[in-house]
Amino acid sequence: IHSVYIVSGWILFVLMRNRKNPTETFNSILAVVGVLSALYGLLQYTGYIETQSYFPVTGSFDNPAGFAASIVLCYPFLLCHSSNGKRRTFKVMACLLLIIVVILSGSRTGVFTLCVVTLLFYALRYRKLIHKRRIFLISGGALFLIGLFIGLIYLTCFRFRSCSDLESICRIV
């Protein structure tokens, strides 16, 4: 397995050295890795690939949290590609695939991080517009966070398959 890492590092080095824009190559590689991982997780969820765990989607990890973290790590690079360039519809569909697979994994932290990354990406992209309509966006953001919190509680209910465990969690919160 160490030889796979060495060869992969060498290929990445050669690709980035011979290109005029090595950052674009690196972004493309991470976007493709994210899509391939999402497809692997989707195949696990549909039952074509079996998991050795209680969880329906684990990717190449032993639990869904690590899988969702790897997908969310690749998501901003794909989001950046989908905002400009050719084949925009295909890239937006790939972003939706990543979002769906993170939700199917049942990782609450992955869903929350996905929302934060998306909000930060569009906040940086539309900075001037946000500055003009600040009060509407703050109130909308607060409503979104409340809805996200409630949604994550329901996701927890589906994950534990019984709301008795959820009631004990809500008592703690």
Side-chain angles (χ1 to χ4, degrees), residues 21-87:
N21 191 357
T23 306
E24 186 69 28
T25 304
F26 185 71
N27 290 350
S28 300
I29 289 170
L30 282 177
V32 168
V33 166
V35 170
L36 291 177
S37 296
L39 288 173
Y40 184 69
L42 192 64
L43 288 174
Q44 281 185 335
Y45 187 79
T46 57
Y48 288 110
I49 298 175
E50 292 184 20
T51 60
Q52 303 298 325
S53 174
Y54 164 75
F55 303 108
V57 177
T58 58
S60 58
F61 297 90
D62 60 345
N63 63 19
F67 174 67
S70 66
I71 295 288
V72 171
L73 176 72
C74 297
Y75 176 70
F77 298 101
L78 187 60
L79 193 61
C80 184
H81 276 289
S82 70
S83 64
N84 52 19
K86 298 177 183 175
R87 293 186 237 148

Side-chain angles (χ1 to χ4, degrees), residues 42 62 64 69 93 97 104 121 155:
L42 192 64
D62 60 345
M93 295 298 283
L97 173 70
L104 290 177
F121 177 79
L155 186 63

